[in-house]
Coordinates of all heavy atoms in Angstrom, one line a residue:
G922 N -4.7 -8.4 -4.3 CA -5.0 -8.5 -5.7 C -6.1 -7.6 -6.2 O -6.1 -6.4 -5.9
G923 N -7.0 -8.2 -6.9 CA -8.1 -7.5 -7.6 C -9.1 -6.8 -6.6 O -9.5 -5.7 -6.9
E924 N -9.4 -7.5 -5.5 CA -10.3 -6.9 -4.5 C -9.7 -5.6 -3.9 O -10.4 -4.6 -3.8 CB -10.6 -7.9 -3.4 CG -11.7 -7.4 -2.5 CD -12.1 -8.4 -1.4 OE1 -12.2 -9.6 -1.8 OE2 -12.2 -8.1 -0.3
L925 N -8.4 -5.6 -3.6 CA -7.8 -4.4 -3.1 C -7.8 -3.3 -4.1 O -8.1 -2.2 -3.8 CB -6.3 -4.7 -2.6 CG -5.5 -3.6 -2.1 CD1 -6.2 -2.9 -0.9 CD2 -4.1 -4.0 -1.8
A926 N -7.5 -3.7 -5.3 CA -7.5 -2.6 -6.4 C -8.8 -2.0 -6.6 O -9.0 -0.8 -6.7 CB -7.0 -3.3 -7.7
S927 N -9.9 -2.8 -6.5 CA -11.3 -2.3 -6.6 C -11.6 -1.4 -5.5 O -12.2 -0.3 -5.6 CB -12.3 -3.5 -6.6 OG -12.1 -4.2 -7.8
E928 N -11.2 -1.7 -4.2 CA -11.4 -0.9 -3.1 C -10.6 0.4 -3.2 O -11.2 1.5 -2.9 CB -11.0 -1.6 -1.8 CG -12.0 -2.6 -1.3 CD -13.3 -1.9 -0.9 OE1 -13.4 -0.9 -0.2 OE2 -14.4 -2.4 -1.5
L929 N -9.4 0.4 -3.6 CA -8.6 1.6 -3.7 C -9.1 2.5 -4.9 O -9.0 3.7 -4.7 CB -7.1 1.2 -4.0 CG -6.4 0.7 -2.8 CD1 -5.0 0.2 -3.2 CD2 -6.3 1.6 -1.6
Q930 N -9.7 1.9 -5.9 CA -10.2 2.8 -7.0 C -11.3 3.7 -6.5 O -11.5 4.8 -7.1 CB -10.7 1.9 -8.1 CG -9.5 1.3 -8.9 CD -10.0 0.4 -10.1 OE1 -11.0 -0.1 -10.0 NE2 -9.1 0.3 -11.1
K931 N -12.0 3.4 -5.5 CA -13.0 4.2 -4.9 C -12.4 5.6 -4.5 O -13.1 6.6 -4.4 CB -13.7 3.6 -3.7 CG -14.5 2.3 -4.1 CD -15.1 1.7 -2.8 CE -15.7 0.4 -3.1 NZ -16.2 -0.3 -1.9
F932 N -11.1 5.6 -4.1 CA -10.5 6.8 -3.6 C -9.6 7.5 -4.6 O -9.0 8.5 -4.3 CB -9.6 6.4 -2.3 CG -10.4 5.7 -1.3 CD1 -10.5 4.3 -1.2 CD2 -11.2 6.5 -0.4 CE1 -11.2 3.7 -0.2 CE2 -12.0 5.9 0.6 CZ -12.0 4.5 0.7
M933 N -9.6 7.0 -5.8 CA -8.7 7.6 -6.8 C -9.3 8.8 -7.4 O -10.5 8.9 -7.6 CB -8.4 6.6 -8.0 CG -7.5 5.5 -7.6 SD -7.3 4.2 -8.8 CE -6.9 5.2 -10.2
L934 N -8.5 9.8 -7.7 CA -9.0 11.0 -8.4 C -9.2 10.6 -9.9 O -8.6 9.6 -10.4 CB -7.9 12.1 -8.3 CG -7.6 12.7 -7.0 CD1 -6.5 13.6 -7.0 CD2 -8.9 13.4 -6.4
P935 N -10.0 11.4 -10.6 CA -10.1 11.1 -12.0 C -8.8 11.1 -12.7 O -7.9 11.9 -12.3 CB -11.0 12.2 -12.5 CG -11.7 12.7 -11.3 CD -10.8 12.5 -10.2
D936 N -8.6 10.3 -13.8 CA -7.3 10.3 -14.5 C -6.8 11.6 -14.9 O -5.6 11.9 -14.9 CB -7.4 9.4 -15.7 CG -7.4 7.9 -15.3 OD1 -7.0 7.6 -14.2 OD2 -7.8 7.1 -16.2
E937 N -7.7 12.5 -15.4 CA -7.3 13.8 -15.8 C -6.6 14.7 -14.7 O -5.8 15.5 -15.0 CB -8.4 14.6 -16.5 CG -9.6 14.9 -15.6 CD -10.6 13.9 -15.6 OE1 -10.4 12.8 -16.1 OE2 -11.7 14.2 -15.0
L938 N -6.9 14.4 -13.5 CA -6.3 15.1 -12.4 C -5.1 14.3 -11.9 O -4.0 14.9 -11.7 CB -7.2 15.3 -11.2 CG -8.4 16.2 -11.5 CD1 -9.3 16.3 -10.2 CD2 -7.9 17.6 -11.8
R939 N -5.2 13.0 -11.8 CA -4.1 12.2 -11.2 C -2.9 12.1 -12.1 O -1.8 12.0 -11.7 CB -4.6 10.8 -11.0 CG -3.6 9.9 -10.3 CD -4.2 8.5 -10.0 NE -4.7 7.9 -11.1 CZ -4.0 7.2 -12.0 NH1 -2.7 7.2 -11.9 NH2 -4.5 6.6 -13.0
S940 N -3.1 12.2 -13.4 CA -2.0 12.0 -14.4 C -1.3 13.3 -14.7 O -0.4 13.3 -15.5 CB -2.6 11.4 -15.6 OG -3.5 12.2 -16.3
K941 N -1.7 14.4 -14.1 CA -1.0 15.7 -14.4 C 0.5 15.6 -13.8 O 0.7 15.2 -12.7 CB -1.7 16.9 -13.7 CG -2.9 17.4 -14.4 CD -3.4 18.6 -13.6 CE -4.6 19.1 -14.3 NZ -5.2 20.2 -13.5
P942 N 1.4 16.1 -14.6 CA 2.7 16.3 -14.0 C 2.6 17.3 -12.9 O 1.8 18.2 -12.9 CB 3.5 16.9 -15.2 CG 2.8 16.5 -16.4 CD 1.3 16.5 -16.0
P943 N 3.5 17.1 -11.8 CA 3.4 18.0 -10.7 C 3.5 19.5 -11.0 O 2.8 20.3 -10.4 CB 4.6 17.6 -9.9 CG 4.8 16.1 -10.2 CD 4.5 16.0 -11.7
V944 N 4.3 19.8 -12.0 CA 4.4 21.3 -12.4 C 3.0 21.8 -12.8 O 2.6 22.9 -12.5 CB 5.5 21.5 -13.4 CG1 5.1 21.0 -14.8 CG2 5.8 23.0 -13.5
E945 N 2.2 21.0 -13.5 CA 0.9 21.4 -13.9 C 0.0 21.6 -12.7 O -0.9 22.5 -12.7 CB 0.3 20.4 -15.0 CG 1.0 20.5 -16.3 CD 0.3 19.6 -17.3 OE1 -0.9 19.2 -17.2 OE2 1.0 19.2 -18.3
S946 N 0.1 20.7 -11.8 CA -0.7 20.8 -10.5 C -0.4 22.1 -9.8 O -1.3 22.8 -9.4 CB -0.4 19.6 -9.6 OG -0.9 18.4 -10.1
L947 N 0.9 22.5 -9.8 CA 1.3 23.7 -9.2 C 0.7 24.9 -9.9 O 0.1 25.8 -9.3 CB 2.8 23.9 -9.2 CG 3.6 23.2 -8.0 CD1 5.1 23.3 -8.3 CD2 3.2 23.8 -6.7
E948 N 0.8 24.9 -11.2 CA 0.3 26.0 -12.0 C -1.2 26.1 -11.9 O -1.7 27.3 -12.0 CB 0.8 25.8 -13.5 CG 2.2 26.0 -13.7 CD 2.7 25.5 -15.1 OE1 1.9 24.9 -15.8 OE2 3.9 25.8 -15.4
A949 N -1.9 25.0 -11.8 CA -3.3 25.1 -11.7 C -3.8 25.3 -10.3 O -5.0 25.4 -10.0 CB -3.9 23.7 -12.2
G950 N -2.9 25.4 -9.3 CA -3.3 25.6 -7.9 C -3.9 24.4 -7.3 O -4.7 24.5 -6.4
Q951 N -3.5 23.2 -7.8 CA -4.1 21.9 -7.3 C -3.1 21.0 -6.7 O -3.2 19.8 -6.8 CB -4.9 21.2 -8.4 CG -6.0 22.0 -9.0 CD -6.6 21.4 -10.2 OE1 -6.0 20.6 -10.9 NE2 -7.9 21.6 -10.4
W952 N -2.0 21.5 -6.2 CA -0.9 20.7 -5.6 C -1.4 19.9 -4.5 O -2.1 20.4 -3.6 CB 0.2 21.7 -5.1 CG 1.4 21.0 -4.6 CD1 1.8 20.9 -3.3 CD2 2.4 20.3 -5.3 NE1 2.9 20.2 -3.1 CE2 3.4 19.9 -4.4 CE3 2.7 20.1 -6.7 CZ2 4.5 19.2 -4.8 CZ3 3.8 19.4 -7.1 CH2 4.7 19.0 -6.1
F953 N -1.2 18.6 -4.5 CA -1.7 17.6 -3.5 C -0.5 17.0 -2.9 O 0.2 16.2 -3.5 CB -2.6 16.7 -4.2 CG -3.1 15.5 -3.4 CD1 -3.2 15.6 -2.0 CD2 -3.6 14.4 -4.0 CE1 -3.7 14.5 -1.3 CE2 -4.1 13.3 -3.3 CZ -4.2 13.4 -1.9
K954 N -0.2 17.3 -1.6 CA 1.0 16.8 -0.9 C 0.7 16.1 0.3 O -0.1 16.5 1.2 CB 1.9 18.1 -0.6 CG 3.1 17.8 0.2 CD 3.8 19.2 0.5 CE 4.9 19.1 1.5 NZ 5.5 20.4 1.7
L955 N 1.3 14.9 0.5 CA 1.2 14.1 1.7 C 2.4 14.5 2.6 O 3.5 14.5 2.2 CB 1.4 12.6 1.4 CG 1.7 11.7 2.6 CD1 0.5 11.8 3.6 CD2 1.9 10.3 2.1
I956 N 2.1 14.9 3.8 CA 3.1 15.3 4.8 C 3.1 14.1 5.8 O 2.3 14.0 6.6 CB 2.8 16.6 5.5 CG1 2.7 17.7 4.4 CG2 3.8 16.9 6.5 CD1 2.3 19.1 5.0
C957 N 4.2 13.3 5.7 CA 4.4 12.2 6.7 C 4.9 12.7 8.0 O 4.7 12.0 9.0 CB 5.3 11.2 6.1 SG 4.6 10.2 4.8
G958 N 5.6 13.8 8.0 CA 6.3 14.3 9.2 C 7.7 13.9 9.3 O 8.1 12.7 9.1
A959 N 8.6 14.9 9.6 CA 10.0 14.6 9.6 C 10.4 13.6 10.7 O 11.4 12.9 10.6 CB 10.8 15.9 9.8
S960 N 9.6 13.5 11.8 CA 9.9 12.6 12.9 C 9.3 11.2 12.7 O 9.5 10.4 13.6 CB 9.5 13.2 14.2 OG 8.1 13.4 14.3
N961 N 8.5 11.0 11.7 CA 7.8 9.8 11.5 C 8.8 8.7 11.0 O 9.2 8.8 9.9 CB 6.6 9.9 10.6 CG 5.7 8.6 10.5 OD1 6.1 7.6 11.1 ND2 4.6 8.8 9.9
Q962 N 9.1 7.8 11.9 CA 10.1 6.7 11.5 C 9.4 5.3 11.4 O 10.1 4.3 11.3 CB 11.2 6.6 12.6 CG 12.0 7.9 12.7 CD 12.8 8.2 11.5 OE1 13.6 7.4 11.0 NE2 12.7 9.4 11.0
D963 N 8.1 5.3 11.4 CA 7.3 4.1 11.3 C 7.3 3.7 9.8 O 6.5 4.1 9.0 CB 5.9 4.3 11.8 CG 5.1 3.0 11.8 OD1 5.3 2.1 11.0 OD2 4.2 2.9 12.7
L964 N 8.2 2.8 9.4 CA 8.4 2.5 8.0 C 7.2 1.8 7.4 O 6.9 2.2 6.2 CB 9.6 1.6 7.9 CG 11.0 2.1 8.4 CD1 12.1 1.2 8.2 CD2 11.3 3.5 7.7
A965 N 6.5 0.9 8.1 CA 5.3 0.3 7.5 C 4.2 1.4 7.3 O 3.6 1.3 6.3 CB 4.8 -0.8 8.5
Q966 N 4.1 2.3 8.3 CA 3.0 3.3 8.1 C 3.4 4.2 7.0 O 2.5 4.6 6.1 CB 2.9 4.1 9.4 CG 1.9 5.2 9.3 CD 1.9 6.1 10.5 OE1 2.8 6.7 10.8 NE2 0.7 6.1 11.2
V967 N 4.6 4.7 6.9 CA 5.1 5.6 5.8 C 4.9 4.9 4.4 O 4.4 5.5 3.5 CB 6.5 6.0 6.0 CG1 7.1 6.7 4.8 CG2 6.6 6.9 7.2
R968 N 5.2 3.6 4.3 CA 5.0 2.9 3.1 C 3.6 2.9 2.7 O 3.2 3.1 1.5 CB 5.6 1.5 3.1 CG 5.5 0.7 1.9 CD 5.9 -0.8 2.0 NE 5.8 -1.5 0.8 CZ 4.6 -1.9 0.2 NH1 3.5 -1.7 0.8 NH2 4.6 -2.6 -0.9
S969 N 2.7 2.5 3.6 CA 1.3 2.4 3.4 C 0.7 3.8 3.0 O -0.1 3.9 2.1 CB 0.6 1.9 4.6 OG 1.0 0.6 4.9
L970 N 1.1 4.8 3.7 CA 0.6 6.2 3.4 C 1.1 6.6 2.0 O 0.3 7.1 1.2 CB 1.1 7.2 4.4 CG 0.5 7.1 5.8 CD1 1.2 8.0 6.8 CD2 -1.0 7.6 5.7
A971 N 2.3 6.3 1.6 CA 2.8 6.6 0.3 C 2.0 5.9 -0.8 O 1.7 6.4 -1.8 CB 4.3 6.4 0.2
L972 N 1.7 4.6 -0.5 CA 1.0 3.8 -1.5 C -0.4 4.4 -1.7 O -0.9 4.7 -2.8 CB 0.9 2.4 -1.0 CG 0.2 1.4 -2.0 CD1 0.7 0.0 -1.6 CD2 -1.2 1.4 -2.0
V973 N -1.2 4.6 -0.6 CA -2.6 5.1 -0.7 C -2.6 6.5 -1.3 O -3.4 6.7 -2.2 CB -3.2 5.0 0.7 CG1 -4.6 5.7 0.7 CG2 -3.4 3.6 1.2
Y974 N -1.8 7.4 -0.8 CA -1.8 8.7 -1.4 C -1.3 8.8 -2.8 O -1.8 9.6 -3.6 CB -1.0 9.7 -0.5 CG -1.8 10.2 0.7 CD1 -2.0 9.3 1.8 CD2 -2.3 11.5 0.7 CE1 -2.8 9.8 2.9 CE2 -3.1 11.9 1.8 CZ -3.3 11.1 2.9 OH -4.0 11.5 3.9
S975 N -0.4 7.9 -3.2 CA 0.0 7.9 -4.6 C -1.2 7.4 -5.5 O -1.5 8.0 -6.6 CB 1.1 6.9 -4.8 OG 2.3 7.4 -4.2
V976 N -2.0 6.4 -5.0 CA -3.1 6.0 -5.8 C -4.2 7.1 -5.9 O -4.8 7.3 -6.9 CB -3.8 4.7 -5.1 CG1 -5.1 4.4 -5.7 CG2 -2.8 3.5 -5.3
A977 N -4.2 7.9 -4.8 CA -5.2 9.0 -4.8 C -4.8 10.2 -5.6 O -5.5 11.1 -5.8 CB -5.4 9.5 -3.3
G978 N -3.5 10.2 -6.1 CA -3.0 11.2 -7.0 C -2.1 12.3 -6.3 O -1.9 13.3 -6.9
A979 N -1.5 12.0 -5.2 CA -0.6 12.9 -4.6 C 0.5 13.3 -5.5 O 1.1 12.4 -6.3 CB 0.0 12.3 -3.3
D980 N 0.9 14.6 -5.5 CA 2.0 15.1 -6.4 C 3.3 14.9 -5.7 O 4.4 14.9 -6.3 CB 1.8 16.5 -6.7 CG 0.6 16.7 -7.6 OD1 0.6 16.2 -8.7 OD2 -0.4 17.4 -7.2
C981 N 3.3 14.8 -4.3 CA 4.5 14.9 -3.6 C 4.3 14.2 -2.2 O 3.2 14.2 -1.7 CB 4.8 16.4 -3.3 SG 6.2 16.7 -2.2
V982 N 5.4 13.6 -1.7 CA 5.4 13.0 -0.4 C 6.5 13.6 0.4 O 7.7 13.5 0.0 CB 5.6 11.4 -0.4 CG1 5.6 10.9 1.0 CG2 4.5 10.8 -1.2
D983 N 6.2 14.4 1.4 CA 7.1 15.1 2.3 C 7.4 14.1 3.5 O 6.5 13.8 4.2 CB 6.5 16.4 2.7 CG 7.4 17.3 3.5 OD1 8.5 16.8 4.0 OD2 7.1 18.5 3.6
C984 N 8.7 13.7 3.6 CA 9.0 12.8 4.6 C 10.4 13.1 5.2 O 11.1 14.0 4.7 CB 9.0 11.4 4.1 SG 10.3 11.0 2.9
S985 N 10.8 12.3 6.2 CA 12.1 12.4 6.8 C 13.1 12.1 5.7 O 12.9 11.4 4.8 CB 12.2 11.4 7.9 OG 13.5 11.2 8.3
A986 N 14.3 12.7 5.9 CA 15.4 12.5 5.0 C 16.2 11.2 5.4 O 17.1 10.8 4.6 CB 16.4 13.7 5.0
D987 N 15.8 10.5 6.4 CA 16.4 9.2 6.8 C 16.3 8.3 5.6 O 15.2 8.1 5.0 CB 15.6 8.7 8.0 CG 16.2 7.4 8.5 OD1 16.0 6.3 7.8 OD2 16.9 7.4 9.5
P988 N 17.4 7.7 5.2 CA 17.4 6.8 4.0 C 16.4 5.6 4.1 O 15.8 5.3 3.1 CB 18.8 6.2 4.0 CG 19.7 7.3 4.6 CD 18.8 7.9 5.7
A989 N 16.2 5.1 5.3 CA 15.2 4.0 5.4 C 13.8 4.5 5.2 O 12.9 3.8 4.6 CB 15.3 3.4 6.8
V990 N 13.5 5.7 5.6 CA 12.1 6.3 5.4 C 12.0 6.6 3.9 O 10.9 6.3 3.3 CB 11.9 7.6 6.3 CG1 10.6 8.3 5.9 CG2 12.0 7.2 7.8
V991 N 13.0 7.2 3.3 CA 12.9 7.5 1.9 C 12.7 6.2 1.1 O 11.8 6.2 0.2 CB 14.2 8.2 1.4 CG1 14.2 8.4 -0.1 CG2 14.3 9.6 2.1
A992 N 13.4 5.2 1.4 CA 13.2 3.9 0.8 C 11.8 3.3 1.0 O 11.2 2.8 0.0 CB 14.2 2.9 1.3
A993 N 11.2 3.5 2.1 CA 9.8 3.0 2.4 C 8.8 3.8 1.6 O 7.9 3.2 1.0 CB 9.5 3.2 3.9
V994 N 9.1 5.1 1.4 CA 8.2 5.9 0.6 C 8.3 5.5 -0.9 O 7.3 5.3 -1.6 CB 8.6 7.4 0.7 CG1 7.9 8.3 -0.4 CG2 8.2 8.0 2.1
Q995 N 9.5 5.2 -1.4 CA 9.7 4.8 -2.7 C 9.0 3.4 -2.9 O 8.4 3.2 -4.0 CB 11.2 4.7 -3.1 CG 11.9 6.0 -3.2 CD 13.4 6.0 -3.3 OE1 14.0 5.1 -2.8 NE2 13.9 6.9 -4.1
E996 N 9.1 2.5 -2.0 CA 8.4 1.2 -2.1 C 6.9 1.4 -2.2 O 6.3 0.7 -3.0 CB 8.7 0.4 -0.8 CG 10.2 -0.2 -0.8 CD 10.5 -0.9 0.5 OE1 9.5 -1.1 1.3 OE2 11.6 -1.1 0.8
G997 N 6.4 2.3 -1.4 CA 4.9 2.6 -1.5 C 4.5 3.1 -2.8 O 3.5 2.7 -3.4
I998 N 5.3 4.1 -3.4 CA 5.0 4.6 -4.7 C 5.1 3.6 -5.8 O 4.3 3.5 -6.6 CB 5.9 5.8 -5.0 CG1 5.6 7.0 -4.0 CG2 5.8 6.3 -6.4 CD1 6.6 8.1 -4.0
E999 N 6.1 2.7 -5.7 CA 6.3 1.7 -6.7 C 5.2 0.7 -6.6 O 4.7 0.2 -7.6 CB 7.7 1.0 -6.5 CG 8.8 1.9 -6.9 CD 10.2 1.4 -6.4 OE1 10.3 0.3 -5.8 OE2 11.2 2.1 -6.7
A1000 N 4.7 0.3 -5.4 CA 3.6 -0.6 -5.2 C 2.3 0.0 -5.8 O 1.5 -0.7 -6.4 CB 3.4 -0.9 -3.7
A1001 N 2.1 1.3 -5.6 CA 1.0 2.0 -6.2 C 1.0 1.9 -7.7 O 0.0 1.6 -8.4 CB 0.9 3.4 -5.7
D1002 N 2.2 2.1 -8.3 CA 2.4 2.1 -9.7 C 2.1 0.7 -10.2 O 1.4 0.6 -11.3 CB 3.9 2.5 -10.0 CG 4.1 2.7 -11.5 OD1 3.2 3.3 -12.2 OD2 5.1 2.2 -12.0
R1003 N 2.5 -0.3 -9.6 CA 2.2 -1.7 -10.0 C 0.7 -2.0 -9.9 O 0.1 -2.6 -10.8 CB 3.0 -2.7 -9.1 CG 4.5 -2.8 -9.5 CD 5.2 -4.0 -8.8 NE 5.0 -4.0 -7.4 CZ 5.8 -3.3 -6.5 NH1 6.8 -2.6 -6.9 NH2 5.6 -3.4 -5.2
L1004 N 0.1 -1.5 -8.8 CA -1.3 -1.7 -8.6 C -2.1 -1.1 -9.7 O -3.1 -1.6 -10.1 CB -1.7 -1.1 -7.2 CG -3.1 -1.4 -6.8 CD1 -3.4 -2.8 -6.6 CD2 -3.4 -0.6 -5.5
L1005 N -1.7 0.1 -10.1 CA -2.4 0.8 -11.2 C -2.0 0.3 -12.6 O -2.4 0.9 -13.6 CB -2.2 2.3 -11.0 CG -2.7 2.9 -9.7 CD1 -2.2 4.3 -9.6 CD2 -4.2 2.8 -9.7
G1006 N -1.1 -0.7 -12.7 CA -0.8 -1.2 -14.0 C 0.4 -0.5 -14.7 O 0.6 -0.8 -15.8
G1007 N 1.1 0.3 -13.9 CA 2.2 1.0 -14.5 C 3.6 0.3 -14.4 O 4.5 0.7 -15.0
G1008 N 3.7 -0.7 -13.7 CA 5.0 -1.3 -13.5 C 5.0 -2.8 -13.2 O 4.2 -3.5 -13.0

């Protein structure tokens, strides 16, 4: 809940950086990409990484194409969105 959100806010980029559309990050030379690794099949770890890096403002999560891994990444991003009040 609230304590976790407070802790995670310590690692968040300022809104003006985090809220940029990815294309603006590319154009500004500030692309921030999480590389989970194509062989990383640890679903809990991938979900957690996607959550934390999304909160930190990552523009992209590079992961395995395995449907279970993609779903774990999506779950992490959605959890970050809820944590930040977006969903």
Side-chain angles (χ1 to χ4, degrees):
E924 186 175 316
L925 176 60
S927 294
E928 281 298 308
L929 288 174
Q930 284 178 336
K931 294 177 186 176
F932 302 98
M933 288 174 53
L934 295 174
D936 283 345
E937 62 271 10
L938 293 178
R939 186 177 55 78
S940 61
K941 281 185 184 178
V944 70
E945 288 183 24
S946 294
L947 276 174
E948 291 169 351
Q951 298 174 333
W952 182 255
F953 175 21
K954 175 179 169 180
L955 165 62
I956 301 174
C957 286
S960 64
N961 189 348
Q962 300 291 312
D963 184 332
L964 301 180
Q966 180 186 61
V967 168
R968 181 187 182 281
S969 295
L970 287 169
L972 187 158
V973 171
Y974 276 75
S975 294
V976 169
D980 293 299
C981 174
V982 178
D983 187 341
C984 67
S985 166
D987 181 285
V990 174
V991 173
V994 168
Q995 289 173 326
E996 288 173 12
I998 292 169
E999 290 166 2
D1002 190 43
R1003 287 191 303 275
L1004 184 64
L1005 297 172

